[in-house]
Amino acid sequence: MDEGRNNLYPVFLKVKQLEVLIVGGGFVAEEKLTFLLKSSPDAKVTMVSPMFREGTRIIANRGNVTLIEDTYDVSYLEGKHMVIATTDKPEINVEVYKDCRAQNILVNVADNPPYCDFYMGGIVTKGNVKIAISTNGKSPTTAKRLRQFFEEVIPDKIDDLVKNLNDYRKTIKGNFEQKVEQLNEFTKSLVEK
């Protein structure tokens, strides 16, 4: 594999329709929960840990989050689509990873790229426009700085443009190819220098 290239495939998940499990209740778990709910406030999340930070409890109460005070057991994977392991015990995180791989469940072991099927990158949201930024797991700080840059340079009115183009798209006649051609022509000026 080419080490100088990011081969990740970006997708935008409708996490309201998925079951997400976070294993752990410390600072990293709280950070992952915050990140997930900031992007998708309607996400369905279960967290399992012997203890939870007070901040985590407050955040959980604002969302569709179930807190289970217990140690990790493979039974908690039942019905889950995506798992994030954040414990401070590497052997538990690896166990979660192996259990998920055995059941074809997508898994992310926080701060451990070899044990990740996906990364949670930087995200910029302006209404209906969302940009995800990945550094291939190599530099979260760079992703953060790029996120801050794009938040500044993308105008807040971009959402008006999206809505107007959606309305225009509905009025175009013809097949898919003809519609794409017309929209390409109509939006060409947006990227011309």
Side-chain angles (χ1 to χ4, degrees):
M1 188 171 93
D2 182 2
E3 285 297 315
R5 184 172 189 273
N6 185 331
N7 289 328
L8 298 172
Y9 184 76
V11 295
F12 291 90
L13 299 171
K14 295 179 178 179
V15 286
K16 181 182 182 180
Q17 299 170 221
L18 302 177
E19 294 287 342
V20 180
L21 174 68
I22 298 176
V23 180
F27 177 75
V28 177
E30 186 175 307
E31 189 179 58
K32 298 295 183 183
L33 178 65
T34 301
F35 181 87
L36 188 58
L37 294 181
K38 181 182 177 196
S39 188
S40 302
D42 55 3
K44 287 193 292 188
V45 183
T46 300
M47 297 181 76
V48 63
S49 174
M51 57 70 69
F52 293 101
R53 294 164 54 92
E54 193 52 41
T56 304
R57 292 182 187 281
I58 292 166
I59 295 163
N61 285 335
R62 286 191 226 128
N64 187 5
V65 182
T66 303
L67 300 180
I68 300 172
E69 290 191 32
D70 195 7
T71 55
Y72 169 74
D73 182 82
V74 68
S75 64
Y76 287 116
L77 298 183
E78 190 174 328
K80 300 299 181 276
H81 300 101
M82 192 165 97
V83 176
I84 302 162
T86 69
T87 79
D88 56 3
K89 295 184 172 68
E91 64 278 9
I92 300 289
N93 292 337
V94 171
E95 181 185 347
V96 172
Y97 173 81
K98 288 178 179 175
D99 290 345
C100 287
R101 295 303 330 121
Q103 296 186 44
N104 295 317
I105 298 169
L106 292 175
V107 60
N108 170 292
V109 174
D111 300 321
N112 201 335
Y115 292 94
C116 292
D117 293 324
F118 63 93
Y119 301 133
M120 300 170 83
I123 293 178
V124 180
T125 305
K126 297 271 178 137
N128 285 289
V129 175
K130 186 168 281 195
I131 298 171
I133 302 160
S134 164
T135 59
N136 213 11
K138 301 214 182 323
S139 177
T141 304
T142 301
K144 177 182 175 183
R145 293 295 175 223
L146 285 169
R147 176 182 56 77
Q148 291 168 338
F149 170 76
F150 283 115
E151 281 173 346
E152 285 181 31
V153 299
I154 296 171
D156 291 329
K157 291 187 176 187
I158 191 82
D159 206 40
D160 294 338
L161 174 68
V162 169
K163 288 173 183 168
N164 291 339
L165 281 173
N166 186 45
D167 292 341
Y168 174 65
R169 186 185 73 173
K170 291 174 185 172
T171 68
I172 302 172
K173 304 287 182 242
N175 63 27
F176 178 77
E177 201 173 310
Q178 291 166 322
K179 288 181 179 185
V180 168
E181 199 172 308
Q182 269 190 275
L183 281 168
N184 281 342
E185 192 59 36
F186 188 74
T187 57
K188 193 164 54 176
S189 63
L190 295 175
V191 291
E192 285 177 348
K193 292 181 180 173

